[in-house]
Amino acid sequence: MSGSNIRNVLAGLSSLWLSAAALAATQKTESYEPVPMPPGFQVVVSELEGPVFADAKGHTLYQWPVKPLRNGAVGERKGQPTCDSTKYKVNSGLMSPYPPGLELPEVETRPSCLDVWPAVTADKEAKPIGKWTIIERKDGFRQWAYDGYALYTSVLDEQPGDVNGGTLRRTGGDGPGTRKPVGPPPMVPPQFEILPLLSGRMLVTSEGNSVYASSKDSPGKSNCQGTCARAWKPIAAPAYAKDRGDFTIIEREPGIRQWAFRQQPLYTRVADEFFHSQRGSDEPGWNNVYTQRAPEPPSDFTVQDTYSGIVLADSRGKTVYVYNCGDDALDQLACDHPNSPQAYRLTVCGGGDPKRCLNTFPYVPAPENAKSTSRLWSVMYIDPMTGKIAQPQQAGALRVWAFRKRPVYTMWRDRGPGELHGDSWGEFYGYRNGYKAFWLRDDYDNNAE
């Protein structure tokens, strides 16, 4: 990217985010298709994952679909829940190079799958409706399922809208068998799909092409004609198509119909070489379209350009990293939260030495007056010698920033803005046990997805 284009992109990203309060005030949240639900369930629009199903208390519902690993598969098939009260003590050997039978860290206190993922139970009077069905489990109780897959909540979710247990974003081919939040279908025409990113829920076509809008257009009217329309292809609406939610149809010229989203005419970019591209937003006046944008990060953070794309950074411009971890027991419990075993992280960042880890991947400190305007970001206290959550008054406790209740880090090798020496640091490129940069845009390796 040229210097001027970099400035355009960074400025665009700075204005891309909206705070949670602004989102609520402008109602720029994603629309969804109404679906029949049993009593006691609801839809909650979360800040990052969009509309999700929740129980009566507002706790997000999750599924655990089957995922193939290197030596087998984990997860659940339709109508066959496997998450139970078994407390596994050894790894499964499903992810090479680990042979089966190795004892897991903190094995004496390791929870069962149901301890971490409480099953959503159905009482005797409950009846199926629509895609909501009831599974008779082997352990004797009835469990709700949606589209055939058993439903669970997460012990990490405390308030309505929390989605800390899993994500719809891609977690890498070598990542663990993670849980995914489940929700109603988005209210988009069949020609479109939604791509979950850390920057928000980006609109793409059903073929995977990015969707753009122009600031030069007027509400409900396209001003892109001639040469412009040859470089930016208007997305045609078929003759049978009808308005749907935030999607409307405008008439470019007699008999030629074009899709618009929230009154913005929609286009694809002819020059895009990759699916899900964000390169079109380098062009002045053009932006990728989002059905819902992620809340703005705290003011302590900045946005920086790198050789491959754009990352979140701390106040000094140093790249921010998130830590990924999933153990290799049959229930694939996550180990990326401070209350989970820290042996995995300490091994990757410091050969088991906490002091070395503090130098290699230091936590991003949160000032005393630090505040977050969203639920995605929070401040927590960490015991630096154990990596576990600490009390604020505990001697030596660190006050740090956390994303989705997990601390974020910088890397000692990064000397200035845009450096990425810690990206993919760890096992299987950082997806199974290791660090990934907080990617907002990646033009080459799909890290942002």
Side-chain angles (χ1 to χ4, degrees), residues 210-428:
S210 294
V211 175
Y212 298 93
S214 171
S215 62
K216 295 181 180 179
D217 283 345
S218 305
K221 183 180 185 302
S222 171
N223 296 317
C224 181
Q225 307 291 337
T227 302
C228 174
R230 289 190 288 273
W232 301 87
K233 185 178 178 182
I235 301 180
Y240 59 81
K242 297 181 180 180
D243 293 354
R244 192 171 188 178
D246 290 324
F247 290 82
T248 55
I249 299 171
I250 64 172
E251 194 169 37
R252 287 182 56 81
E253 51 190 273
I256 299 180
R257 292 151 47 97
Q258 180 180 358
W259 281 111
F261 177 71
R262 294 175 184 157
Q263 297 299 307
Q264 294 179 299
L266 301 180
Y267 308 82
T268 56
R269 180 173 176 257
V270 175
D272 274 352
E273 298 175 354
F274 306 102
F275 291 134
H276 308 160
S277 174
Q278 297 184 57
R279 291 187 178 182
S281 62
D282 295 348
E283 301 292 335
W286 290 91
N287 290 287
N288 292 89
V289 175
Y290 288 78
T291 58
Q292 183 174 317
R293 290 172 173 171
E296 183 178 359
S299 58
D300 288 357
F301 294 88
T302 62
V303 175
Q304 301 293 334
D305 188 69
T306 74
Y307 62 85
S308 180
I310 297 171
V311 295
L312 190 69
D314 69 3
S315 59
R316 301 166 296 171
K318 294 189 69 174
T319 298
V320 168
Y321 297 89
V322 294
Y323 171 67
N324 302 306
C325 185
D327 71 23
D328 196 28
L330 287 175
D331 52 5
Q332 297 280 292
L333 297 187
C335 40
D336 57 354
H337 187 272
N339 280 345
S340 62
Q342 294 296 295
Y344 300 97
R345 186 182 64 85
L346 295 177
T347 298
V348 165
C349 64
D353 182 355
K355 292 183 180 179
R356 185 177 169 190
C357 276
L358 288 173
N359 290 325
T360 306
F361 280 94
Y363 297 96
V364 177
E368 286 299 322
N369 62 348
K371 293 182 180 179
S372 173
T373 57
S374 79
R375 299 259 293 291
L376 285 176
W377 290 93
S378 60
V379 173
M380 65 168 48
Y381 289 85
I382 293 290
D383 181 334
M385 292 298 100
T386 66
K388 299 294 185 78
I389 292 178
Q391 296 299 317
Q393 66 274 16
Q394 180 177 321
L398 301 179
R399 179 181 165 93
V400 304
W401 279 113
F403 178 73
R404 297 177 63 243
K405 293 191 175 179
R406 289 128 172 120
V408 292
Y409 308 82
T410 54
M411 207 277 181
W412 73 277
R413 282 187 178 179
D414 294 344
R415 302 301 183 186
E419 296 194 12
L420 287 167
H421 295 290
D423 188 46
S424 300
W425 183 287
E427 299 167 359
F428 301 112

Side-chain angles (χ1 to χ4, degrees), residues 5-170:
N5 277 343
I6 289 173
R7 287 191 291 273
N8 290 336
V9 174
L10 297 183
L13 275 169
S14 296
S15 62
L16 178 149
W17 282 300
L18 295 174
S19 68
L23 277 172
T26 57
Q27 297 182 341
K28 297 299 183 184
T29 54
E30 185 176 301
S31 300
Y32 57 89
E33 298 285 354
V35 295
M37 291 186 290
F41 294 101
Q42 58 183 308
V43 175
V44 176
V45 181
S46 65
E47 292 179 326
L48 188 62
E49 305 290 347
V52 295
F53 290 132
D55 64 13
K57 296 180 180 179
H59 294 155
T60 299
L61 305 186
Y62 298 84
Q63 297 170 335
W64 188 27
V66 168
K67 177 179 180 178
L69 299 180
R70 297 197 172 211
N71 299 316
V74 294
E76 297 182 340
R77 302 184 187 280
K78 289 188 175 184
Q80 301 177 32
T82 58
C83 180
D84 57 24
S85 57
T86 303
K87 294 191 176 183
Y88 293 98
K89 296 186 177 182
V90 297
N91 75 305
S92 64
L94 292 174
M95 282 299 295
S96 59
Y98 310 114
L102 295 178
E103 185 173 276
L104 298 168
E106 301 181 20
V107 65
E108 296 304 322
T109 57
R110 188 182 190 276
S112 71
C113 183
L114 285 180
D115 289 333
V116 179
W117 295 98
V120 181
T121 57
D123 58 36
K124 293 181 179 179
E125 289 73 32
K127 295 181 180 180
I129 180 173
K131 289 188 175 183
W132 297 79
T133 55
I134 299 171
I135 299 172
E136 300 288 343
R137 291 177 54 99
K138 293 180 180 180
D139 41 17
F141 59 86
R142 309 172 83 213
Q143 182 174 5
W144 279 109
Y146 183 77
D147 197 22
Y149 291 100
L151 295 172
Y152 302 86
T153 57
S154 169
V155 295
L156 296 180
D157 295 340
E158 298 175 351
Q159 303 179 56
D162 283 351
V163 190
N164 297 313
T167 179
L168 292 170
R169 289 180 291 107
R170 188 176 70 91

Side-chain angles (χ1 to χ4, degrees), residues 190-193 203-211 235 267-268 276:
Q191 286 174 256
F192 300 94
E193 294 179 355
L203 191 67
V204 297
T205 68
S206 56
E207 291 83 21
N209 297 310
S210 294
V211 175
I235 301 180
Y267 308 82
T268 56
H276 308 160

